[in-house]
Amino acid sequence: MDGLKRFLDTFFDLPLIGSTLAQLLTEGLLNTLLLAVLASLIGLVVGIGWPPD
Amino acid sequence: MSRLRVVRLPCRVYVDILRGLPHILTVYLIGQGLPLAGLTIFGTWTYGYAGLAIGLMEGAYMAEIFRSGFQSVDSGIVEAARSLGLSHLRTLRLIVVPIGVRRILPALTGQFILVVKSTALVYLLGLAAGQREMFALAQDSAVNNASLAPLVAAGLLYLAITVPLTYVVNAWDRRMREPQSPRRKIRPVRTAEALA
């Protein structure tokens, strides 16, 4: 039971998860989506331009 | 797809190398290698280098997806179009690309899911405070709080993005495999319109 408690305390600290989620939503989500769209556009251009064989 | 060896060879080499290297190594090679070599095409904008690195990696996979999609178009359809008098380019534009793109859309959406997950690699290049994306923020928070819970929070948000996209891909794929409804009217093809 001690092991399970340690695991839950390490990974599932709910107040910390809640505060981090709020920070991620306001700060990190937009940057992640921006990077994903940028990389996808570059990938599409390269992928269309360089079909192998 | 080209018959010219001089075109085909560099494409093959690019796709083989970019698909064969670990993503983490490619991000380092492009994200840190280009500025070190004096090619500061994006200045100090880390996202530009990360976007280029991830884009080049995904481009290699997308190239294979496009190739398989275009080559999956039945040669009989292409020959029929050519026998109607359509040029090679017009056959590509009116027949091969529309059919091929419809077939590869689920695979392309699946590739976008991989891109979203790959964005976490930008963390390797070092980010300023205002530039941090989800994984970098969670990693910094995990260090500051001496807990791995912030990484679980980041994982939940990644799941919130990727799981609905996965279901969209599956539904899309299923819909494309279903035979078309007999009640759906098919617009008659006007040969003169296609040839114009």
Side-chain angles (χ1 to χ4, degrees), chain B residues 90-113:
Chain B
R90 201 171 278 262
T91 305
L92 273 179
R93 190 168 65 85
L94 294 173
I95 311 290
V96 177
V97 172
I99 296 174
V101 165
R102 273 193 68 193
R103 286 184 182 163
I104 62 173
L105 276 177
L108 279 182
T109 317
Q111 199 61 37
F112 181 71
I113 293 172

Side-chain angles (χ1 to χ4, degrees), chain B residues 4-19:
Chain B
L4 297 172
R5 193 178 164 81
V6 70
V7 176
R8 208 173 61 227
L9 192 66
C11 295
R12 188 76 260 171
V13 169
Y14 161 74
V15 169
D16 284 348
I17 290 177
L18 269 290
R19 288 202 326 161

Side-chain angles (χ1 to χ4, degrees), chain A residues 2-43:
Chain A
D2 274 359
L4 181 63
K5 188 177 181 312
R6 267 204 305 277
F7 173 81
L8 292 175
D9 287 346
T10 306
F11 287 98
F12 295 96
D13 182 350
L14 292 182
L16 187 53
I17 287 179
S19 63
T20 310
L21 270 178
Q23 191 189 8
L24 294 181
L25 281 170
T26 53
E27 217 179 310
L29 183 62
L30 197 64
N31 283 339
T32 296
L33 292 178
L34 172 77
L35 183 58
V37 170
L38 177 70
S40 295
L41 287 178
I42 293 174

